[in-house]
Structure formats: C-alpha cells, structure tokens
DNA sequence: CCTACCGATCGGTAGG
DNA sequence: CCTACCGATCGGTAGG
C-alpha cells in the first residue's frame, strides 16, 4: 500500500453503504417510504439513479437495513446509558431521556421508521419485530423492578405501551427550536409515571370518590 | 315523484361521495396515502378508475376532505359525550374513552390520518390544523379546569401532548381481538393521569430523593 | 459505480 | 359516471 488510506478490515464500500443507509433513513422519516424514490436517495448521496441497487437488492431491502441498524444503534445507546444506574427510578429517567434522543436527536430518528413496517413483507417485518422486542424487554425489566419495589401501581403491559406512546408521539410535534427541550419533555414524562400528574397538596385522601355537588 | 326514494335536499350524488370518502379514509389508514392508488379506491366502491375524479379534483383533495369530515364527526362525538358531565375528572374519563373510539372504533379511524398531512400542500395543512386545534381546545379546557381545582399538578401543554401520545399510539398496537379492550385502555390512561402510576402504600414520603445505597 | 434503458403503474383528462 | 388514453415517473436491470 502506498498511502495507507483505508484501515484493514474496513471494506472500501462500507462508507458509501453507510451513507446510503443514513440518508435513506432520514428521507424515509421526512417524506415516508412510498413518497421517497430511490432516485431521491441516490441524488442525496451524489450517485446516479441505478447505483443504490449495487449496494441493496431493492428499496424494501434499504428500508429493512436502515431500520435494523438504527434499532441496534439505539439499543446500544440505551444499554450504555443504563449501565451502572442501580436505582430503577433513576434508571427509568435515564432511559426515557435516551429514548427521546434516539427518536428525535440522532440523525436518522429510527424509532419513527417503525411506522413504515407495513411496506415490508412478512419475513422482514418479523426481523424488525425481533429487534424492537429486545428494545422493549429492557424497559419491561426496569418497570418490573419498580413494581416489585412497590414504586409502581403495576408493571402490566398497558403501562409500558402508554409510556412509549407518550414518548413516540413527540415525533409528531417536537421541533428542535420549539419551547420544550428534550430534557424538559423527558422530565415531564418521567414525573408523570413516577410521581403522577396529580398534585396531592398535603394529606389528601383517595381522589376517586365523586363529590355530591361542587360548592 | 313516483316512488319518493330520495329525501328532499339530499343530492343524488351525496351517497356515492360519502362512500368514496369513507373508503378512501379506510384505505389511507391501512396502507398509507402514497401506497393507496385512486384505482384502489375506485375499485373498492365499484367504480372505474377515472370516476373518483368526477367527485374530487385530485387525490390530495380526497385526503383533505376525508380528514376534515372525519375530524368534525369526531369533534361532534366528543362534544356529545361531554354534555352534562359536570365533574371535570369524570368528564376527562369520558373524553378519553370517546377519543379512543374515534381513533380505533369508528369505521375510518380519522385521528390516525393526521400522520398523512405531510402529503398535503400548505393551504390544506392549515385547514387540518384549524380542525385539530378546535378538538384540542376542548381538552385543554378540561385540563385547565382540573388544574384550577388543584387536581392536576399542571395543565401546561406537555401534559396534553403526553396524553394524546398515550392514546394515539394505540393505533400502532391495538387489535380489536387483543387482550385489552378500549374500556380497559381508557381506564389505564385516565388512572395514570388522574391518580398517577405510583402505588403510595400508606404514608410514604416524597419518592424523589436518591437513597445512599440499596440494602 | 455509471449509462442506457425497459415494463409497469399511476394520477389525471377529454369527450361523451 | 364510463371509455380510452396520455405523459410522467418509478423500481429495477444489463452490460460494462
């Protein structure tokens, strides 16, 4: 080798492939899978219209790869953020903030792509489902831990699904230049789960019973 | 008139137009706007491929009309359900259940269509935004009322957005034949908001402080 | 990774 | 609302 510009073991095409993947993910999120043409993707990375098919067999294949690699990157970030956080409540807060980062901060916003799964065939959809199940399992474990410690009313799946709803819906309204920061959203969501949305001023009784008539 | 089959004031084409609208909404939700062809819609109502354009100027126009009429129907259902429910907490419960109905029970699942707004031009998007704002205002009013009565920690917009997230995400996972009924989901979401997700067994202190080290 | 290209499909229209 | 049709675009491929 004369000018040692490529590291050993890094195939020369890996960079372009990664670039395609990241660009495709971004465009799929922005415009949707069907509204994004393979020509859009090629142009965005400076290729000709036929060239993406040198790296990927089909447009569906591009979507599948983008989703899987994005989900795995998010999974690694989640694991890394959890490491060493012993208190499950504090860990849940960290996980919520990390998930919002995966959703809204990373350059490809992978969790928002899950919506496009319907464009894939059953086989590919099953692979996606396996990757998201692994991601969900980390959450369920921490929720279970909190429930065991008596710090959650229940760890049944409705709670986890409602939590993911709260967070993922952010993709519909969050703007980086908006009023709320990701830290603030994360705090609001964690507070809602861990402390409840009610103010319990001093020594209030159960808030359930209906009053006869308000004064 | 020999057989008085059409009521006065109901244009003969209204039924077909409505059928197109409902069918289009259903297909748009199922497959997405871009993946649904105008031929799909025509075939589903037993028309030829060019005929939908007799009722609607363009495919976008069909989407816009489906969204607006669906949102207004949902708005009417919401108002009707609220009427006469004086206690704001009970009213919120009713609203949550009604919204889940709009989302998952009605035959066109309009709230899920909002996701397809990006396929519309700016003018149409503004009309949709106006309709959803009206829908949201009803919620904000009840949340404000609860906050004023000291039964919510805050009625700031994060709470409303988190609430809609919880509910709307149901479109991603709810199945009519699944384990959870809409009543159960509605109850879980309302409990989370109105009572919090934490069990506060007897006289527990603030759950915030971090323990030194767990035993 | 490019050039050149194909078959299929799609939104939409004219004219009745 | 149908028939017949058009122009444009799109995913994908052959061959280098």
């Amino acid at each position: 080798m004369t000018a040692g510009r490529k590291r050993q073991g890094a195939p020369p095409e890996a960079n372009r492939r990664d670039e395609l993947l990241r660009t495709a993910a971004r465009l799929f999120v922005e415009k949707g899978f069907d509204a994004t043409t393979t020509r859009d993707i090629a142009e965005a990375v400076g290729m000709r219209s036929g060239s993406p098919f040198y790296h990927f067999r089909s447009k569906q294949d591009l979507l599948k790869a983008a989703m899987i690699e994005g989900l795995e990157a998010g999974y690694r970030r989640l694991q890394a953020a959890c490491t060493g956080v012993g208190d499950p409540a504090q860990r849940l807060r960290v996980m919520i903030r990390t998930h919002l980062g995966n959703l809204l901060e990373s350059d490809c916003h992978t969790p928002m792509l899950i919506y496009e799964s319907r464009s894939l065939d059953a086989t590919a959809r099953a692979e996606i489902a396996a990757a998201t199940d692994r991601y969900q399992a980390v959450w369920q474990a921490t929720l279970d831990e909190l429930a065991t410690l008596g710090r959650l009313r229940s760890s049944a799946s409705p709670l986890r699904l409602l939590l993911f709803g709260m967070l993922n819906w952010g993709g519909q309204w969050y703007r980086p230049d908006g009023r709320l920061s990701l830290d603030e959203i994360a705090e609001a969501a964690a507070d809602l789960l861990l402390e409840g949305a009610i103010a319990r001023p001093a020594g209030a009784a159960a808030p359930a019973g209906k009053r006869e008539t308000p004064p």
Side-chain angles (χ1 to χ4, degrees), chain A:
Chain A
M1 268 186 249
T2 41
R5 252 193 100 227
K6 43 181 161 177
R7 275 188 262 153
Q8 207 195 26
E13 296 140 0
N15 288 338
R16 301 297 301 196
R17 202 192 107 106
D18 263 33
E19 217 179 322
L20 271 172
L21 229 38
R22 255 194 306 275
T23 304
R26 184 172 51 79
L27 291 173
F28 288 157
V29 167
E30 275 173 27
K31 318 203 294 176
F33 177 74
D34 292 296
T36 304
T37 69
T38 55
R39 283 165 167 84
D40 290 337
I41 299 166
E43 192 185 22
V45 299
M47 285 178 182
R48 301 293 181 162
S49 67
S51 301
F53 296 98
Y54 170 73
H55 295 277
F56 297 93
R57 215 168 309 176
S58 70
K59 193 186 172 189
Q60 270 84 6
D61 222 54
L62 239 174
L63 173 60
K64 185 185 109 180
M67 290 181 75
I68 296 231
E69 302 202 6
L71 285 170
E72 277 170 0
Y75 182 74
R76 284 191 297 271
R77 281 191 284 263
L78 188 70
Q79 291 282 31
C82 283
T83 302
V85 184
D87 177 55
Q90 184 56 30
R91 198 190 315 135
L92 186 65
R93 286 182 181 277
V94 168
M95 289 168 72
I96 286 175
R97 180 59 182 81
T98 305
H99 181 71
L100 286 176
N102 285 339
L103 182 73
L104 302 167
E105 226 169 28
S106 81
D107 55 348
C108 31
H109 305 226
T110 314
M112 295 181 68
L113 269 185
I114 297 182
Y115 202 80
E116 308 288 346
S117 294
R118 62 180 166 197
S119 298
L120 297 173
D121 58 39
T123 313
R125 257 204 314 271
E127 286 185 59
I128 307 297
T132 61
D133 282 354
R134 239 177 306 136
Y135 195 84
Q136 304 267 348
V138 187
W139 293 80
Q140 193 61 55
T142 293
L143 291 175
D144 286 345
E145 199 173 335
L146 280 164
T148 301
L149 292 174
R151 290 167 80 176
L152 269 190
R153 189 189 302 272
S154 146
S155 66
S157 59
L159 190 66
R160 197 195 62 219
L161 290 164
L162 293 174
L163 171 60
F164 268 92
M166 288 197 285
L167 303 181
N168 289 346
W169 190 245
Q172 299 303 310
W173 57 267
Y174 171 75
R175 295 293 167 255
D177 55 337
R179 267 174 238 129
L180 288 164
S181 70
L182 289 192
D183 285 335
E184 288 168 327
I185 301 168
E187 198 187 330
D191 283 350
L192 182 54
L193 224 74
L194 290 168
E195 304 181 23
I198 34 161
R200 215 172 302 220
K210 311 160 197 160
R211 304 235 180 99
E212 305 296 337
T213 7

